[in-house]
Amino acid sequence: MSQYRIAVIVGSLRKDSFNKKLAHAVAKLAPPEFTFEQVEIGNLPLYNQDDDAQTPDAVLRFKEKIQAADGLLFVTPEYNRSIPGVLKNALDQGSRPYGKNAWAGKPGGVIGISIGAIGTALAQQHLRNVLVFLDVPTLAQPEIFLQAKEGFFDADGSIGAGSKDFVQNWVNRYADWVRKHKA
């Protein structure tokens, strides 16, 4: 049986982030041949094209983790109706310098959770626009817009009973997407 390594990019730096909790909960629902590693983005310097000639070590380590992955999982909050700046910075760092795009060809999935009724719908759409340019084949359907409310997470951090089947369906489709694109 093939093994699949998934690089998880969480667009929130907050210690008690709903999106970090969601990333952990999704990993629990994945098939046993899938392993998930959250890749740190908070330590990346702001992208500056002047650094392309001498890429900072933190960026090189980050890009190595992306390149070693079989798939990508983006878990994003929504800030001001778009993606957080720290996530955009990570996307830019991973794609540069020109011709050294670590994201290219890696199958991706996009999810997120927010206290708002529409979840992270607009942030996800903005992220998808960027991922198209970065050549990340991204699972289009089903879309998954999650609202963080009482009972969404169980006491152990798993997806609560009321949403578990819905999220499990997305995880199953995502796993199939990664398998299809790794072959």
Side-chain angles (χ1 to χ4, degrees), residues 8-9 13 20 37-44 58 62 65 90:
V8 181
I9 312 300
L13 302 179
K20 285 181 183 177
E37 178 187 359
Q38 287 193 31
V39 181
E40 175 63 41
I41 63 174
N43 63 346
L44 296 173
F62 171 74
K65 289 182 179 185

Side-chain angles (χ1 to χ4, degrees), residues 52 63 67 94-102 104:
D52 282 358
K63 289 181 74 169
Q67 289 167 327
S95 70
R96 301 299 299 192
Y98 181 79
K100 307 257 181 177
N101 179 6

Side-chain angles (χ1 to χ4, degrees), residues 38-117:
Q38 287 193 31
V39 181
E40 175 63 41
I41 63 174
N43 63 346
L44 296 173
L46 292 176
Y47 176 72
N48 180 338
Q49 191 173 7
D50 291 342
D51 295 333
D52 282 358
Q54 186 65 38
T55 304
D57 288 341
V59 174
L60 291 174
R61 287 189 301 275
F62 171 74
K63 289 181 74 169
E64 286 172 2
K65 289 182 179 185
I66 300 306
Q67 289 167 327
D70 298 309
L72 307 168
L73 177 60
F74 296 91
V75 188
T76 186
E78 186 167 297
Y79 293 176
N80 300 316
R81 300 289 187 236
S82 190
I83 61 175
V86 68
L87 177 55
K88 180 62 167 78
N89 184 58
L91 293 164
D92 292 343
Q93 288 287 18
S95 70
R96 301 299 299 192
Y98 181 79
K100 307 257 181 177
N101 179 6
W103 309 106
K106 304 262 181 208
V110 176
I111 61 174
I113 190 167
S114 169
I115 59 171

